[in-house]
Amino acid sequence: MAATIITTEDLLEFKIDLLQEIKKMIQTSEPNTIKKWIKSKEVTKLLNISPGTLQNLRINGTLTYTKIGGTLYYDNTDIEKLLNTNKVSAIPTLFK
């Protein structure tokens, strides 16, 4: 069995090839996209609320929705607006 000698140039070439392959994989993979429309189950998981609470948000008009067939969809931007409008600033009680 013959011995193969690996030089530093060989290792450098391997490193460059490996990095190029990794870059190709990253570029061809799907980008993390935020869905425009979210189903009820995903909203309850996202906001950590019960289906009943989500129903109350629909009934009192706090969160708008679209119904297609029997499936309810919520606009992601509406959910973000709801969260932003209900922000509470954290003011320590010492300064009140």
Side-chain angles (χ1 to χ4, degrees):
M1 182 175 203
T4 305
I5 299 175
I6 298 176
T7 64
T8 54
E9 290 82 20
D10 293 334
L11 290 174
L12 184 59
E13 185 178 334
F14 173 73
K15 179 179 117 178
I16 292 169
D17 291 342
L18 183 61
L19 287 173
Q20 287 175 347
E21 287 297 318
I22 291 171
K23 284 180 185 177
K24 282 183 196 175
M25 290 172 55
I26 291 172
Q27 290 172 351
T28 58
S29 66
E30 289 184 33
N32 290 338
T33 57
I34 298 172
K35 290 200 255 181
K36 169 91 170 125
W37 295 99
I38 305 173
K39 292 183 180 181
S40 295
K41 191 166 192 164
E42 295 169 299
V43 175
T44 56
K45 193 180 265 188
L46 177 70
L47 298 178
N48 195 25
I49 59 175
S50 69
T53 301
L54 183 58
Q55 181 178 7
N56 286 334
L57 292 174
R58 280 194 314 267
I59 290 170
N60 65 26
T62 304
L63 187 58
T64 59
Y65 65 96
T66 300
K67 186 174 184 178
I68 301 174
T71 307
L72 299 173
Y73 296 94
Y74 303 86
D75 190 340
N76 196 9
T77 55
D78 289 342
I79 295 169
E80 286 180 25
K81 285 178 191 173
L82 175 66
L83 292 172
N84 286 326
T85 56
N86 289 299
K87 274 187 184 177
V88 177
S89 62
I91 300 173
T93 55
L94 287 173
F95 301 111
K96 282 188 175 180

